[in-house]
């Protein structure tokens, strides 16, 4: 090592001329200095870097050390100092009240939140055996994106594993307690249940491969049999106490499917007999369940985008579309997610009866600011009264889930010129070999087909299936084999014994279990995607030919339309209508969908953004996933698990106009 | 250092120089050896004026901080660079290097058998042993805050170092009930992750799982029957319903695949599964109510790996003085370290106090008494000589005629000479009636409670005066030194040999894990394998010494000075060893399958076929091989390719005779022959 070191302030370091200077010494000194200067130039750059890195490392280690020696209660102490004493977490509160674990609890995670791990793969994923491909850090997306996509996709024909690849759900509570490090899903609920005495023997995470269609999870992994066996085991070992089921998001549909499956005779069903649910289930507490589907799933399937993607495109046009690193991000995503059958379970169900026609919709007249202006910091509408008048509710047609162009979205239906697309000829001329190997079915459509779609101009829930079948016939072929999105006229029709109807609440009866209770718990107070304004992208050779028109809507005039998306009240993913309708009307009392009169409750949780940064994702959130950390919701769950009934928890708890909207839906009950 | 800081704030040049010259006589503040050396060099080089020297010193002092930073930065950058390279490296690179050095490695058994066309057929159940399963915290005292659902046992063991006392408190069970202490809930991890790796990089089941996955196994047809290995077997059902869970999962897998399961217990899991087989057929409430044909219907084969069917001598030393060979050696190497009261920890005492609350350890106490393990002057393995099997490093010349038989039957002897004398010459003083005094209790011992404090000096002396203990008297000994522990143990386990298996008392669960006091289930198509490593010296009996003036310490220690020398190479550091897998002697792992259950015997009324598969230990050839693919070690055998291949073949449908029946390297059949057990 050279003697030389980096010196911050060379001038300061120079000694002042000594009191009794001698020429020789001065010279030697100067010579020395000069020599150093030369060498310094040579080395200083690398030295500086090293020095800097060293400094940073050292201080980092020092801070890390401090952090580690810190008592674990310190962050909480700081938070309390700033925000005042925190309320007890619900688990502690309930423990103090003397609540004890009574009913075993089953969690049914939703789409996307469950971890998936690799059991067999191609060479590019050689070292990833039993490592998470989905969930966790997602490190491998960046390291080997195309390999990752290949392994996450399913077979395009069968909807099962592609040859040579086995990606399987993680099992146990770890499957979905955290989605990514620090991003909780079930962890908070689990921790609070543990406070009152729950542990793994009476909590079960019904993890399944959320990419597969519901029935295929049984065919490939016997996931439904596993749930059945575990519920039976827990009921037996807990002294006959029935289970409380807590499905979240798509898990709600999955569990609907399960309830039909378990009672159906083998081989299609689990052969549990018609009283299985009555014997084993105390309550089903659906959290944010898209019982009637989610419009967001539609835009995802149609053009692989939703509000967030459209917004990103608005901010940085070209980034997503440009062929950056030859990735064609959106196309790849679309190709992958279209192989996932489960996404099709969330296509809006019930057609125009539920979701509204060209000129009416159950939510018409709704304005986001009507309810609680103070809360809606993210409102699409301004709070000023004069502004709100300009948001002409008559021009909002939520029923038109997809419109091509804003003016089409606002015109009265009689003024729209629609050209039927169903018979349109698809051409091959759109196929372009320069698009590399990204296969989306749009390549098979041809320009004529694409044009025909745009000519039809506006689509209601009734037209949706035809539209999707037109643009993605192969996908929908798989989809219609596993799901149905209609509305049953006669539930006794023997065709409804087929499993494809089991996940649609409008085409099945609830099980015969009069003592069971069904809760619909969801967040409200956040604008939620409901309808889209699309545009045709010109000259899109390799790209998806449709895009959400993010230029449609601006904050001054049409405040309810922003970035091409009409929003209603909901939890940011599922509109209140979809989550609440069945419990508010479809299943309320003895109806044909609920022949044994199972009691239903609607529990809404108004969204309150976290008051400060320290609260993280908030304890009063109403967002689709963050609601899992909502203290009020957790308390309700614990009370029911400890034995309370729906009435004891407080019956309905409503902030939206869900009952009014439900009334407008003209459904034979 | 403080000077430098002062200078930085100080500003002016003159004052700085003043400080610098003041600094001169105290170099130890900066104290770096390098600095001084450099300074000396400079002084010899150019003898210049003070001011220049001062300047240089000033610089060198500054440069000390700089050079530290520089050095750290340099190391960090290099590290990052290497890390980057490592990450950018293709995944097959290490394998490539290994192959370049050692020649092409054989295909792992999974790949090999996959090429042969084997496919997943029977579902597989793993039953982990003691210690290897992870435990996590579900409820704890404030000192464990922030560790909810984090592993206390397994993983990194970080908390042992961070808060040792808190950790011991949480890992201990209640001294009376053998269940959770109030306010603490530590629960087993579930799923395959429970025991795939014990600590990061230390595989237990992971290699086997990976190889099974190659032929098509996945989580739906592999089940890890994790249980809390600290509890007595029946208590795992009482507290966690672990046995019910295992039953339900086996039934589910049999129902979904339509094939019987292959059960693979390891170590203590072997006894646990014996217990399970009796439990599942017994009527409720004590049993699982599966009916007498449950095992016949659901189990194809039980492939025991390194199973201590008849117990472990090692556990006697563990319970008696919280030590075994490893600890005894450590004590000999660094005398005083373990015994010293460093940091007020009293490590061994704490370890003893903790392990004595774990009922499961008592399931491993040697069973069958003197009939199996030998008397004062007789032992089944008496003619074993130690160099034959051990690898080259002890291949000293052995003269067989020089060899006299060893008294393995004396599991504990006080002093080497007593271990070797004929029994008629040993003077033994009965200890059972000895009066225990309380004069041994000493308040200065801190709060470490072990039952030795209650024994008093007389009691301890009496134990030492008995001089030599066989297995049967060891049981009495344990009852004498640790009455409370053995009271719990006696309620959950039994160590005898049944005279009449039809006796009704054998319906009680405490007999279920003792193969000598139970019958195998009525399942003639089932097969039982006993697979274990051989070729490693394994603890069999001990030479103890009485540690004098032990105020706070455990009053007995293994006498590490007792060496057998060239003539008796079986005695090393106070421990007589026989053939085995370093933990379980061959006799314990093999006897039942070699003789006790062979054919139709009273222990095996339906004539279940038994097979012995021994795996001779071969240490890894190079460092690159890690823990070896031919190891016979108790845990490392889980990575033994031959064993894995056997398991995969059975799992995909082969029978024991397809594998080749028995495969024996040791003298197990000859030794078994010598044991006179009515069959």
């Amino acid at each position: 090592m050279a003697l030389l070191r980096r010196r911050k302030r060379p001038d300061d370091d120079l000694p002042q001329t000594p009191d009794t200077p001698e020429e020789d010494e001065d010279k030697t000194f100067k010579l020395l200095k000069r020599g150093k200067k030369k060498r310094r130039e040579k080395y200083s750059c690398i030295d500086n870097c090293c020095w800097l890195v060293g400094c940073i490392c050292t201080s980092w280690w020092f801070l890390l050390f401090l952090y580690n020696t810190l008592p674990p209660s310190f962050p909480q102490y700081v938070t309390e100092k700033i925000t005042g004493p925190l309320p007890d977490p619900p688990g502690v509160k309930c423990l103090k009240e003397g609540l004890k674990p009574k009913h075993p609890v089953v969690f049914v995670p939703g789409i996307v939140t469950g971890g998936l791990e690799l059991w067999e793969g191609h060479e590019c994923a050689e070292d990833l055996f039993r490592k998470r491909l989905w969930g966790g850090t997602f490190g491998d997306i960046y390291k080997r994106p195309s390999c990752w996509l290949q392994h996450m996709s399913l077979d395009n024909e069968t909807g099962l594993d592609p040859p040579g690849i086995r990606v399987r759900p993680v099992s146990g509570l770890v499957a979905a307690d955290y989605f990514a490090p620090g991003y909780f899903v079930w962890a908070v609920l689990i921790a609070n249940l543990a406070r009152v005495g729950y542990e793994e023997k009476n909590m079960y995470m019904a993890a399944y491969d959320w990419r597969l269609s519901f029935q295929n999870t049984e065919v490939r992994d016997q996931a439904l049999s596993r749930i059945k066996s575990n519920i039976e085991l827990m009921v037996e070992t807990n002294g006959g106490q029935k289970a409380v089921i807590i499905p979240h998001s798509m898990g709600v549909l999955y569990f609907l499917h399960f309830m039909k499956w378990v009672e159906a005779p083998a081989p299609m069903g689990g052969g549990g007999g018609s009283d299985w649910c009555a014997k084993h289930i105390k309550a089903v507490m659906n959290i944010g369940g898209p019982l009637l589907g989610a419009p967001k799933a539609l835009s995802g399937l149609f053009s692989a985008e939703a509000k967030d993607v459209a917004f990103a495109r608005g901010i940085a046009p070209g980034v997503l579309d440009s062929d950056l690193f030859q990735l064609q991000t959106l196309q790849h995503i679309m190709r992958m997610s279209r192989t996932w059958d489960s996404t099709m379970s969330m296509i809006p169900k019930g057609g125009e009866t539920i979701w509204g026609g060209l000129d009416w919709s159950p939510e018409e007249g709704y304005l986001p600011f009507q309810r609680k202006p103070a809360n809606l910091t993210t409102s699409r509408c301004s709070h000023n009264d004069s502004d709100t008048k300009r948001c002409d509710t008559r021009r909002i047609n939520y029923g038109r889930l997809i419109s091509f162009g804003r003016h089409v979205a606002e015109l009265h239906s009689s003024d729209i010129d629609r050209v039927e697309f169903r018979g349109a000829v698809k051409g091959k001329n759109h196929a372009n070999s320069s698009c590399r190997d990204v296969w989306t079915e749009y390549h098979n459509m041809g320009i004529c087909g694409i044009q025909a779609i745009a000519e039809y101009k506006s689509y209601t829930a009734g037209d949706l299936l035809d539209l999707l079948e037109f643009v993605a016939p192969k996908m929908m072929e798989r989809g219609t084999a596993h799901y149905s999105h209609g509305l049953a006229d006669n539930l006794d029709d023997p065709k409804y014994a087929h499993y494809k109807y089991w996940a649609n609440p409008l085409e099945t009866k609830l099980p015969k279990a009069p003592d069971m209770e069904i809760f619909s718990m969801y967040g409200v107070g956040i604008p939620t995607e409901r309808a889209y304004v699309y545009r045709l992208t010109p000259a899109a050779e390799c790209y998806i030919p449709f895009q959400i028109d993010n230029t449609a809507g601006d904050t001054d005039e049409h405040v309810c339309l922003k970035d091409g998306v009409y929003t209603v009240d909901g939890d940011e993913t599922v509109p209140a209508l979809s989550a609440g309708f069945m419990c508010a009307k479809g299943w309320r009392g003895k109806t044909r969908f609920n022949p044994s009169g199972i009691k239903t409750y609607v529990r809404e949780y108004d969204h309150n953004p976290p008051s400060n940064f320290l609260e993280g994702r908030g304890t009063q959130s109403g967002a689709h996933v963050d609601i899992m950390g909502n203290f009020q919701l957790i308390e309700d769950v614990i009370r029911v698990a400890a034995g309370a009934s729906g009435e004891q928890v407080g019956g309905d708890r409503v902030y939206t106009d869900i009952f009014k909207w439900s009334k407008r839906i003209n459904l034979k009950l | 250092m403080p000077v430098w800081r002062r200078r930085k704030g100080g500003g002016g040049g003159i004052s700085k120089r003043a400080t610098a010259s003041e600094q001169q006589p105290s170099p130890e503040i900066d104290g770096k050896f390098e600095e001084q050396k450099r300074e000396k060099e400079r002084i010899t080089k150019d003898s210049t004026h003070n001011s220049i020297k001062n300047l240089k010193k000033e610089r060198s002092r500054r440069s000390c901080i700089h050079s530290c930073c520089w050095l750290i930065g340099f190391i960090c950058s290099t590290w990052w660079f290497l890390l980057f390279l490592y990450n950018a490296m293709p995944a097959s690179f290490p394998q490539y290097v290994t192959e370049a050095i050692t020649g092409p490695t054989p295909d792992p058994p999974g790949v090999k058998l996959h090429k042969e066309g084997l496919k997943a057929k029977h579902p597989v159940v793993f039953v982990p042993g003691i210690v290897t399963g992870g435990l996590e915290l579900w409820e704890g005292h404030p000192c464990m805050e922030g560790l909810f659902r984090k592993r206390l046992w397994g993983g990194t063991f970080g908390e042992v170092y961070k808060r040792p006392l808190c950790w011991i408190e949480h890992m201990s069970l209640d001294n009376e009930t053998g269940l959770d202490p109030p306010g603490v809930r530590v629960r087993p991890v579930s799923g395959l992750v429970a025991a795939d790796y014990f600590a990061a990089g230390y595989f237990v089941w992971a290699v086997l799982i990976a190889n099974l996955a190659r032929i098509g196994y996945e989580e739906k047809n592999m089940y890890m029957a994790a249980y809390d290995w600290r509890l007595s077997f029946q208590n795992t059902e009482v507290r966690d319903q672990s046995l019910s869970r295992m039953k339900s999962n086996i039934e589910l897998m049999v129902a979904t695949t339509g094939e019987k399961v292959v059960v693979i217990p390891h170590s203590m899991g072997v006894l646990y599964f014996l217990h399970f087989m009796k439990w599942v057929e017994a009527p409720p409430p004590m049993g699982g109510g599966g009916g007498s044909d449950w095992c016949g219907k659901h189990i194809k084969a039980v492939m025991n790996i390194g199973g201590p069917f008849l117990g472990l001598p090692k556990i006697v030393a563990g319970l008696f003085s919280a030590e075994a060979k490893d600890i005894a050696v450590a004590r000999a190497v660094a005398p005083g370290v373990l015994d010293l009261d460093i940091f007020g920890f009293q490590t061994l005492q704490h370890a003893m106090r903790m392990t004595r609350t774990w009922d499961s350890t008592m399931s491993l106490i040697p069973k069958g008494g003197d009939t199996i393990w030998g008397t004062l002057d007789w032992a089944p393995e008496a003619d074993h000589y130690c160099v034959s099997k051990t690898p080259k490093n002890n291949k000293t010349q052995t003269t067989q005629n020089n060899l006299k038989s060893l008294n393995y039957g004396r599991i504990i002897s006080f002093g080497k000479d007593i271990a070797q004398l004929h029994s008629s010459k040993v003077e033994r003083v009965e200890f059972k009636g000895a009066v225990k005094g309380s004069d041994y209790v000493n308040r200065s011992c801190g709060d470490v409670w072990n039952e030795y404090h209650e024994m008093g000096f007389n009691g301890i002396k009496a134990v030492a005066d008995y001089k030599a203990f066989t297995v049967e008297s060891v049981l009495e000994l344990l009852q004498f030194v640790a009455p409370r522990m053995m009271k719990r143990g006696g309620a959950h386990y039994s160590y005898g040999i049944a005279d009449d298996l039809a006796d009704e008392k054998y319906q009680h669960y405490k007999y279920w894990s003792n193969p000598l006091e139970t019958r195998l289930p009525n399942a003639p198509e089932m097969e039982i394998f006993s697979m274990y490593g051989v070729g490693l010296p394994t603890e069999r009996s001990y030479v103890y010494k009485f540690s004098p003036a032990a105020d706070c310490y455990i009053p007995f220690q293994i006498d590490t000075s007792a060496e057998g020398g060239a003539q008796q190479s079986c005695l090393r550091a106070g421990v007589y060893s026989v053939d085995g897998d370093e933990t379980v002697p061959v006799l314990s792992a093999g006897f039942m399958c070699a003789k006790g259950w062979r054919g139709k015997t009273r222990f095996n009324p339906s004539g279940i076929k038994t097979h012995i598969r021994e795996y001779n230990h071969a240490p890894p050839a190079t460092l690159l091989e890690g823990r070896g693919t031919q190891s016979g070690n108790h845990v490392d055998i889980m990575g033994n390719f031959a064993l894995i291949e056997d398991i995969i073949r059975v799992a995909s449908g082969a029978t024991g005779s397809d594998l080749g029946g028995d495969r024996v390297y040791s003298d197990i059949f000859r030794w078994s022959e010598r044991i006179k057990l009515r069959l």
Side-chain angles (χ1 to χ4, degrees), chain A residues 401-415:
Chain A
L401 289 182
I402 290 178
S403 321
F404 278 88
R406 185 171 68 185
H407 61 288
V408 174
E410 288 167 0
L411 277 177
H412 191 266
S413 61
S414 55
D415 301 332

PDB file of all heavy atoms in Angstrom, chain A residues 401-415:
ATOM      1  N   LEU A 401     -69.745  -2.005 -20.480  1.00  0.00           N
ATOM      2  CA  LEU A 401     -68.461  -2.339 -19.858  1.00  0.00           C
ATOM      3  C   LEU A 401     -67.300  -1.921 -20.741  1.00  0.00           C
ATOM      4  O   LEU A 401     -66.257  -1.504 -20.264  1.00  0.00           O
ATOM      5  CB  LEU A 401     -68.392  -3.838 -19.561  1.00  0.00           C
ATOM      6  CG  LEU A 401     -69.299  -4.300 -18.434  1.00  0.00           C
ATOM      7  CD1 LEU A 401     -69.130  -5.776 -18.177  1.00  0.00           C
ATOM      8  CD2 LEU A 401     -69.028  -3.529 -17.155  1.00  0.00           C
ATOM      9  N   ILE A 402     -67.490  -2.052 -22.045  1.00  0.00           N
ATOM     10  CA  ILE A 402     -66.436  -1.612 -22.958  1.00  0.00           C
ATOM     11  C   ILE A 402     -67.071  -0.741 -24.026  1.00  0.00           C
ATOM     12  O   ILE A 402     -68.050  -1.142 -24.658  1.00  0.00           O
ATOM     13  CB  ILE A 402     -65.733  -2.811 -23.626  1.00  0.00           C
ATOM     14  CG1 ILE A 402     -64.894  -3.567 -22.593  1.00  0.00           C
ATOM     15  CG2 ILE A 402     -64.865  -2.350 -24.787  1.00  0.00           C
ATOM     16  CD1 ILE A 402     -64.209  -4.778 -23.135  1.00  0.00           C
ATOM     17  N   SER A 403     -66.538   0.470 -24.195  1.00  0.00           N
ATOM     18  CA  SER A 403     -66.998   1.319 -25.270  1.00  0.00           C
ATOM     19  C   SER A 403     -65.785   1.730 -26.084  1.00  0.00           C
ATOM     20  O   SER A 403     -64.699   1.920 -25.535  1.00  0.00           O
ATOM     21  CB  SER A 403     -67.656   2.594 -24.746  1.00  0.00           C
ATOM     22  OG  SER A 403     -68.418   2.327 -23.603  1.00  0.00           O
ATOM     23  N   PHE A 404     -65.993   1.851 -27.389  1.00  0.00           N
ATOM     24  CA  PHE A 404     -64.878   2.336 -28.204  1.00  0.00           C
ATOM     25  C   PHE A 404     -65.034   3.828 -28.423  1.00  0.00           C
ATOM     26  O   PHE A 404     -65.855   4.270 -29.225  1.00  0.00           O
ATOM     27  CB  PHE A 404     -64.797   1.570 -29.516  1.00  0.00           C
ATOM     28  CG  PHE A 404     -64.097   0.265 -29.356  1.00  0.00           C
ATOM     29  CD1 PHE A 404     -64.791  -0.875 -29.005  1.00  0.00           C
ATOM     30  CD2 PHE A 404     -62.721   0.200 -29.499  1.00  0.00           C
ATOM     31  CE1 PHE A 404     -64.126  -2.072 -28.820  1.00  0.00           C
ATOM     32  CE2 PHE A 404     -62.047  -0.987 -29.323  1.00  0.00           C
ATOM     33  CZ  PHE A 404     -62.756  -2.130 -28.983  1.00  0.00           C
ATOM     34  N   GLY A 405     -64.292   4.582 -27.671  1.00  0.00           N
ATOM     35  CA  GLY A 405     -64.357   6.037 -27.775  1.00  0.00           C
ATOM     36  C   GLY A 405     -65.278   6.627 -26.725  1.00  0.00           C
ATOM     37  O   GLY A 405     -66.295   6.049 -26.367  1.00  0.00           O
ATOM     38  N   ARG A 406     -64.903   7.827 -26.226  1.00  0.00           N
ATOM     39  CA  ARG A 406     -65.662   8.407 -25.143  1.00  0.00           C
ATOM     40  C   ARG A 406     -67.050   8.823 -25.574  1.00  0.00           C
ATOM     41  O   ARG A 406     -68.016   8.668 -24.843  1.00  0.00           O
ATOM     42  CB  ARG A 406     -64.909   9.610 -24.582  1.00  0.00           C
ATOM     43  CG  ARG A 406     -65.586  10.197 -23.372  1.00  0.00           C
ATOM     44  CD  ARG A 406     -64.726  11.229 -22.735  1.00  0.00           C
ATOM     45  NE  ARG A 406     -64.602  12.390 -23.609  1.00  0.00           N
ATOM     46  CZ  ARG A 406     -63.823  13.419 -23.327  1.00  0.00           C
ATOM     47  NH1 ARG A 406     -63.100  13.429 -22.247  1.00  0.00           N
ATOM     48  NH2 ARG A 406     -63.754  14.446 -24.131  1.00  0.00           N
ATOM     49  N   HIS A 407     -67.152   9.363 -26.781  1.00  0.00           N
ATOM     50  CA  HIS A 407     -68.466   9.820 -27.202  1.00  0.00           C
ATOM     51  C   HIS A 407     -69.432   8.659 -27.288  1.00  0.00           C
ATOM     52  O   HIS A 407     -70.599   8.787 -26.980  1.00  0.00           O
ATOM     53  CB  HIS A 407     -68.349  10.559 -28.531  1.00  0.00           C
ATOM     54  CG  HIS A 407     -67.811   9.708 -29.638  1.00  0.00           C
ATOM     55  ND1 HIS A 407     -66.495   9.322 -29.698  1.00  0.00           N
ATOM     56  CD2 HIS A 407     -68.424   9.155 -30.717  1.00  0.00           C
ATOM     57  CE1 HIS A 407     -66.319   8.570 -30.762  1.00  0.00           C
ATOM     58  NE2 HIS A 407     -67.467   8.460 -31.395  1.00  0.00           N
ATOM     59  N   VAL A 408     -68.913   7.492 -27.689  1.00  0.00           N
ATOM     60  CA  VAL A 408     -69.785   6.321 -27.737  1.00  0.00           C
ATOM     61  C   VAL A 408     -70.259   5.968 -26.336  1.00  0.00           C
ATOM     62  O   VAL A 408     -71.411   5.606 -26.122  1.00  0.00           O
ATOM     63  CB  VAL A 408     -69.031   5.134 -28.369  1.00  0.00           C
ATOM     64  CG1 VAL A 408     -69.878   3.878 -28.288  1.00  0.00           C
ATOM     65  CG2 VAL A 408     -68.684   5.448 -29.804  1.00  0.00           C
ATOM     66  N   ALA A 409     -69.376   6.118 -25.374  1.00  0.00           N
ATOM     67  CA  ALA A 409     -69.733   5.775 -24.002  1.00  0.00           C
ATOM     68  C   ALA A 409     -70.838   6.668 -23.490  1.00  0.00           C
ATOM     69  O   ALA A 409     -71.624   6.279 -22.637  1.00  0.00           O
ATOM     70  CB  ALA A 409     -68.505   5.885 -23.106  1.00  0.00           C
ATOM     71  N   GLU A 410     -70.913   7.876 -24.006  1.00  0.00           N
ATOM     72  CA  GLU A 410     -71.868   8.826 -23.436  1.00  0.00           C
ATOM     73  C   GLU A 410     -73.159   8.949 -24.232  1.00  0.00           C
ATOM     74  O   GLU A 410     -74.166   9.413 -23.710  1.00  0.00           O
ATOM     75  CB  GLU A 410     -71.193  10.200 -23.323  1.00  0.00           C
ATOM     76  CG  GLU A 410     -70.155  10.215 -22.216  1.00  0.00           C
ATOM     77  CD  GLU A 410     -69.273  11.433 -22.280  1.00  0.00           C
ATOM     78  OE1 GLU A 410     -69.486  12.253 -23.188  1.00  0.00           O
ATOM     79  OE2 GLU A 410     -68.386  11.549 -21.425  1.00  0.00           O
ATOM     80  N   LEU A 411     -73.130   8.564 -25.501  1.00  0.00           N
ATOM     81  CA  LEU A 411     -74.329   8.690 -26.323  1.00  0.00           C
ATOM     82  C   LEU A 411     -75.448   7.801 -25.826  1.00  0.00           C
ATOM     83  O   LEU A 411     -75.205   6.779 -25.185  1.00  0.00           O
ATOM     84  CB  LEU A 411     -74.001   8.275 -27.762  1.00  0.00           C
ATOM     85  CG  LEU A 411     -73.354   9.331 -28.656  1.00  0.00           C
ATOM     86  CD1 LEU A 411     -73.043   8.700 -29.992  1.00  0.00           C
ATOM     87  CD2 LEU A 411     -74.254  10.530 -28.814  1.00  0.00           C
ATOM     88  N   HIS A 412     -76.658   8.189 -26.158  1.00  0.00           N
ATOM     89  CA  HIS A 412     -77.763   7.291 -25.875  1.00  0.00           C
ATOM     90  C   HIS A 412     -77.711   6.138 -26.861  1.00  0.00           C
ATOM     91  O   HIS A 412     -77.266   6.290 -27.989  1.00  0.00           O
ATOM     92  CB  HIS A 412     -79.106   8.028 -25.974  1.00  0.00           C
ATOM     93  CG  HIS A 412     -80.225   7.219 -25.443  1.00  0.00           C
ATOM     94  ND1 HIS A 412     -81.002   6.428 -26.259  1.00  0.00           N
ATOM     95  CD2 HIS A 412     -80.685   7.056 -24.193  1.00  0.00           C
ATOM     96  CE1 HIS A 412     -81.894   5.806 -25.516  1.00  0.00           C
ATOM     97  NE2 HIS A 412     -81.738   6.174 -24.266  1.00  0.00           N
ATOM     98  N   SER A 413     -78.187   4.993 -26.440  1.00  0.00           N
ATOM     99  CA  SER A 413     -77.992   3.796 -27.252  1.00  0.00           C
ATOM    100  C   SER A 413     -78.613   3.941 -28.636  1.00  0.00           C
ATOM    101  O   SER A 413     -78.118   3.386 -29.612  1.00  0.00           O
ATOM    102  CB  SER A 413     -78.591   2.583 -26.539  1.00  0.00           C
ATOM    103  OG  SER A 413     -79.973   2.785 -26.362  1.00  0.00           O
ATOM    104  N   SER A 414     -79.712   4.693 -28.721  1.00  0.00           N
ATOM    105  CA  SER A 414     -80.371   4.806 -30.015  1.00  0.00           C
ATOM    106  C   SER A 414     -79.509   5.572 -31.017  1.00  0.00           C
ATOM    107  O   SER A 414     -79.705   5.458 -32.221  1.00  0.00           O
ATOM    108  CB  SER A 414     -81.727   5.506 -29.848  1.00  0.00           C
ATOM    109  OG  SER A 414     -81.513   6.752 -29.204  1.00  0.00           O
ATOM    110  N   ASP A 415     -78.554   6.304 -30.499  1.00  0.00           N
ATOM    111  CA  ASP A 415     -77.715   7.085 -31.397  1.00  0.00           C
ATOM    112  C   ASP A 415     -76.464   6.333 -31.849  1.00  0.00           C
ATOM    113  O   ASP A 415     -75.659   6.868 -32.608  1.00  0.00           O
ATOM    114  CB  ASP A 415     -77.275   8.384 -30.701  1.00  0.00           C
ATOM    115  CG  ASP A 415     -78.476   9.206 -30.297  1.00  0.00           C
ATOM    116  OD1 ASP A 415     -79.506   9.084 -30.981  1.00  0.00           O
ATOM    117  OD2 ASP A 415     -78.377   9.941 -29.294  1.00  0.00           O
TER     118      ASP A 415
END
